[in-house]
Amino acid sequence: MKAIFLSASVPYREPFVNYFDAIAIRESVLALVSVCVRERELVFGGHPAISPLVEHAARSLGAMERVHIFQSNYFRDKIPAVAREFPNLHWTRKGTDIPKSLTIMRKRMIGFRDFGAAVFIGGMEGLFEELELFKKAHPGATVIPIASTGGAAKDLLEKGEGPQADTVIHALKEENRYRKLLSDLLPRD
Amino acid sequence: MNDIKYQLVLLGQEKAVKPAKTVRRLSKLFEQLGLDFAVHGEVLKGAAKEPEWEGFPVAVWFGGVGAADAEEVKLVEGFLARGFAVFPVVDSLQNYKNCTPSILHPINGQEFNINKLANDIMLGFRLSRRYRQAFISYKRSESAGVASQLFHELNDRGYRVFLDTASVESGVNFQNALWSRMADVDLLILLDTPNALKSEWVHLELNRAHDLGMAVVQLIWPNHKRSPGTELSAPLPLKVADFAKQNVGADGRLNPTTLANVVDRIESERIRSLNSRRTRVVDVLTTSMKGGKYQFIVHPAKHLDVLKGRKKVAEVVPFVGVPDSTAVHEHDLARKFEHTVVVYNGLGVDAEWSRHIDWLKQRASIEVFATDDFGTYLQRFS
């Protein structure tokens, strides 16, 4: 089955920091790893709170080789130790500043596989850029903004991104049984 | 993020009159725990307003004659689908099926008794000392005063509190054995002082807390930036004014108002933690039982029944954390149904525990499964 792209972070800047749910972010990331990694690859950009969750879950499921983590060389000295636990750690070249370095990383990450879907959790403006890049590179792929986690993911759903059916939109806002949600929404190809 | 309360939802044909004395009894039980039902609890009557599904609501169905309200039945469906407790109560068990909607028939009802019901509701909220446990992780030389203060305050609220300086001081992770016995620890309270949280400790211990579905509440000291890696905790930034006599040193203590706010927030996060754990179990069962062949029934504060058609095929005992031989033995002794299965959250099981569990599986007469493998277990009934 096709790989899944995870775009997630824990908001700490206004306005996103005022409307996110840390437990929802945690549970949805753990659920995504559980539902995915035994059967497909998972690709994501490193983050101090998200990377440990992914590592711990993937390791216990014996699926570390199916996870790909991307980090920008711009932050070479600053990445959390857990990132180096991943056998598939991909470094991307640094740009002249942070935003450019992140864009370079995002382009490489999003072009890395023929993704079946992108899952958006929590996050800030970076998620908006990742969505635009993803839609361009994978126009037929499923977009899943888990609005119940808050942050940019919530904004994306409100802007009309992702599924259009009312029942699915409702589930993305309200459902906290994340394995069920993801196993219902992830494409089977 | 608003504070979540202990919500009691009253439903059923007899909900108008019967509950009053029960609620009074419940308020007394709350008081004994240092909680105030008027502040920390809430009563919802009927189905007009949905409870906070991120919380840990308990529903009581006061059965009686007459048709059940369709909206209330729908609400009960919502409770059961999420694995939350519904207690059906009737005057006489002989009339149980006539007085309750069919959706409640697989659940063991009880005859109305104020004290028993109030106690069961408390159990439904998991409000008894056995089910209220918290860790406080801190660096002694920076926050012994506040740690001690919280210890006593939480104790007065019915918590068993474990002070953890050992792992923080040495940066060595808490012994596996201790963590796994802490099956019902709801909360990890971090006192984030300037030199307390080393990054390796944060990585190991916080991950374990997240694996166990614990809520993490982080008190952040004044003029100190939150330690990296703790982004998923509930932050409580402290100001110098929050401390008595502005003393933020090792012997400093929080002023009474701040302490009260901190403890209220801790209570609210505890409820989220309960929800998180319950939902994980229900979530896993729901996904492993896709295809509609199976359903599950949650018995409040106990096990879950797995049904195929109308026949019960298995009893599932969800276990928080990693089961050890003592726990499995306990469940084996207590079981009443042949196909009883202990199901534990497999995420976060390291190599050492994995070997222990393999050893256990070969020897125990009760079966033990990681939640992700539960689907395999169910296949034998197809």
Side-chain angles (χ1 to χ4, degrees):
Chain A
M1 287 198 270
K2 289 188 181 175
I4 304 295
F5 172 59
L6 168 61
S7 176
S9 78
V10 183
Y12 60 88
R13 278 193 305 269
E14 306 267 351
F16 310 100
V17 72
N18 299 321
Y19 54 94
F20 79 96
D21 183 336
I23 289 189
I25 292 177
R26 171 182 86 189
E27 297 302 313
S28 55
V29 171
L30 291 175
L32 177 63
V33 177
S34 307
V35 163
C36 265
V37 289
R38 278 176 167 171
E39 299 176 309
R40 18 164 154 225
E41 289 180 306
L42 183 67
V43 177
F44 76 113
H47 177 284
I50 306 290
S51 304
L53 288 179
V54 175
E55 189 266 345
H56 223 81
R59 184 183 295 286
S60 345
L61 292 167
M64 285 289 270
E65 346 67 53
R66 248 174 257 124
V67 179
H68 294 264
I69 178 174
F70 279 76
Q71 300 275 180
S72 170
N73 252 313
Y74 195 96
F75 301 108
R76 190 128 202 161
D77 305 325
K78 293 203 199 107
I79 67 157
V82 72
R84 295 177 203 275
E85 310 271 339
F86 288 95
N88 304 315
L89 168 55
H90 305 266
W91 290 104
T92 58
R93 134 186 103 74
K94 69 185 202 185
T96 45
D97 56 24
I98 292 178
K100 291 203 179 71
S101 304
L102 287 175
T103 303
I104 291 169
M105 185 201 77
R106 285 169 177 149
K107 284 184 171 157
R108 258 207 66 199
M109 181 168 60
I110 287 166
F112 182 64
R113 285 288 186 260
D114 176 23
F115 290 106
V119 179
F120 294 87
I121 290 174
M124 299 180 285
E125 307 88 354
L127 261 70
F128 300 148
E129 187 185 27
E130 291 188 355
L131 176 69
E132 289 314 307
L133 290 169
F134 186 84
K135 285 199 298 191
K136 247 188 229 124
H138 310 278
T142 308
V143 167
I144 303 174
I146 306 187
S148 54
T149 59
K154 178 168 186 271
D155 294 339
L156 287 178
L157 188 69
E158 276 168 14
K159 284 187 199 178
E161 300 289 353
Q164 301 298 304
D166 281 340
T167 42
V168 181
I169 290 175
H170 181 80
L172 287 169
K173 286 184 188 166
E174 305 291 334
E175 181 63 83
N176 70 344
R177 286 170 298 176
Y178 292 112
R179 283 173 193 239
K180 175 186 193 308
L181 179 71
L182 288 162
S183 105
D184 286 345
L185 296 181
L186 287 173
R188 303 299 302 162
D189 61 340
Chain B
M1 196 94 274
N2 39 334
D3 276 355
I4 292 204
K5 301 183 185 208
Y6 291 98
Q7 289 180 313
L8 175 64
V9 179
L10 304 175
L11 304 168
Q13 299 91 329
E14 296 284 317
K15 68 177 178 294
V17 177
K18 281 218 154 66
K21 288 190 182 155
T22 309
V23 173
R24 273 202 288 280
R25 175 81 196 130
L26 198 63
S27 301
K28 277 236 154 51
L29 294 173
F30 263 63
E31 227 180 270
Q32 284 171 13
L33 279 182
L35 293 169
D36 181 352
F37 189 68
V39 170
H40 300 108
E42 190 184 0
V43 175
L44 297 175
K45 260 193 185 163
K49 182 178 160 209
E50 272 200 339
E52 283 275 11
W53 292 120
E54 295 154 24
F56 206 65
V58 167
V60 179
W61 184 283
F62 289 92
V65 295
D69 178 285
E71 286 303 306
E72 291 188 1
V73 172
K74 211 163 144 232
L75 188 57
V76 169
E77 279 168 11
F79 265 80
L80 297 178
R82 289 173 175 82
F84 292 131
V86 180
F87 290 98
V89 166
V90 290
D91 282 333
S92 158
L93 279 176
Q94 283 185 337
N95 280 331
Y96 182 66
K97 290 198 168 156
N98 295 330
C99 296
T100 53
S102 54
I103 194 184
L104 287 175
H105 292 174
I107 297 181
N108 297 332
Q110 352 153 4
E111 285 183 353
F112 180 60
N113 172 297
I114 295 173
N115 285 334
K116 180 166 195 313
L117 182 57
N119 281 334
D120 281 343
I121 294 169
M122 290 298 274
L123 217 60
F125 286 137
R126 293 172 75 78
L127 280 175
S128 60
R129 191 169 281 266
R130 185 181 161 207
Y131 294 119
R132 263 158 96 63
Q133 304 189 29
F135 267 104
I136 302 177
S137 288
Y138 70 107
K139 190 171 172 70
R140 202 175 332 165
S141 57
E142 294 186 331
S143 54
V146 173
S148 165
Q149 201 185 12
L150 280 173
F151 178 92
H152 288 108
E153 189 66 26
L154 290 173
N155 231 293
D156 287 348
R157 296 253 188 137
Y159 280 92
R160 273 183 80 190
V161 190
F162 299 89
L163 287 176
D164 164 34
T165 43
S167 66
V168 171
E169 302 286 346
S170 59
V172 168
N173 57 314
F174 222 163
Q175 295 149 39
N176 272 337
L178 263 172
W179 268 99
S180 69
R181 294 306 298 270
M182 300 299 137
D184 292 302
V185 180
D186 298 325
L187 294 160
L188 173 58
I189 301 162
L190 297 178
L191 302 191
D192 193 357
T193 49
N195 299 299
L197 307 181
K198 298 190 186 64
S199 61
E200 320 92 74
W201 181 92
V202 167
H203 170 41
L204 286 168
E205 298 311 311
L206 281 196
N207 272 326
R208 212 183 289 258
H210 291 309
D211 287 338
L212 291 173
M214 291 165 72
V216 183
V217 174
Q218 183 186 13
L219 272 60
I220 307 170
W221 248 239
N223 305 314
H224 166 59
K225 242 179 94 184
R226 194 174 189 180
S227 300
T230 61
E231 294 78 2
L232 287 171
S233 13
L236 287 178
L238 298 172
K239 301 185 285 298
V240 176
D242 288 317
F243 289 78
K245 300 185 188 144
Q246 328 249 300
N247 175 5
V248 307
D251 56 345
R253 296 167 82 80
L254 300 174
N255 66 44
T257 319
T258 305
L259 180 65
N261 289 337
V262 166
V263 178
D264 278 350
R265 183 63 189 278
I266 284 173
E267 201 63 49
S268 171
E269 293 300 323
R270 183 219 175 223
I271 297 175
R272 281 179 219 272
S273 155
L274 291 177
N275 171 295
S276 175
R277 288 171 167 170
R278 173 60 75 178
T279 305
R280 278 187 190 179
V281 175
V282 168
D283 195 13
V284 152
L285 289 183
T286 319
T287 24
S288 44
M289 297 192 306
K290 262 185 135 137
K293 265 194 293 187
Y294 300 97
Q295 309 158 267
F296 62 87
I297 302 284
V298 177
H299 291 282
K302 294 195 188 101
H303 58 270
L304 297 94
D305 289 337
V306 177
L307 300 150
K308 191 176 174 196
R310 294 216 190 152
K311 187 163 163 258
K312 174 166 158 175
V313 296
E315 219 170 79
V316 176
V317 182
F319 196 89
V320 176
V322 178
D324 60 13
S325 44
T326 313
V328 173
H329 187 208
E330 247 177 68
H331 287 300
D332 194 15
L333 291 176
R335 69 165 162 160
K336 297 193 169 63
F337 191 73
E338 187 199 331
H339 296 290
T340 297
V341 178
V342 162
V343 166
Y344 68 97
N345 175 23
L347 298 182
V349 173
D350 62 19
E352 192 193 325
W353 271 105
S354 202
R355 285 192 290 273
H356 178 83
I357 288 169
D358 286 340
W359 175 89
L360 200 57
K361 283 180 179 179
Q362 283 168 35
R363 283 161 183 78
S365 52
I366 199 173
E367 294 195 71
V368 177
F369 277 87
T371 47
D372 290 289
D373 297 326
F374 188 63
T376 336
Y377 173 73
L378 279 182
Q379 278 167 25
R380 62 175 84 165
F381 298 108
S382 26

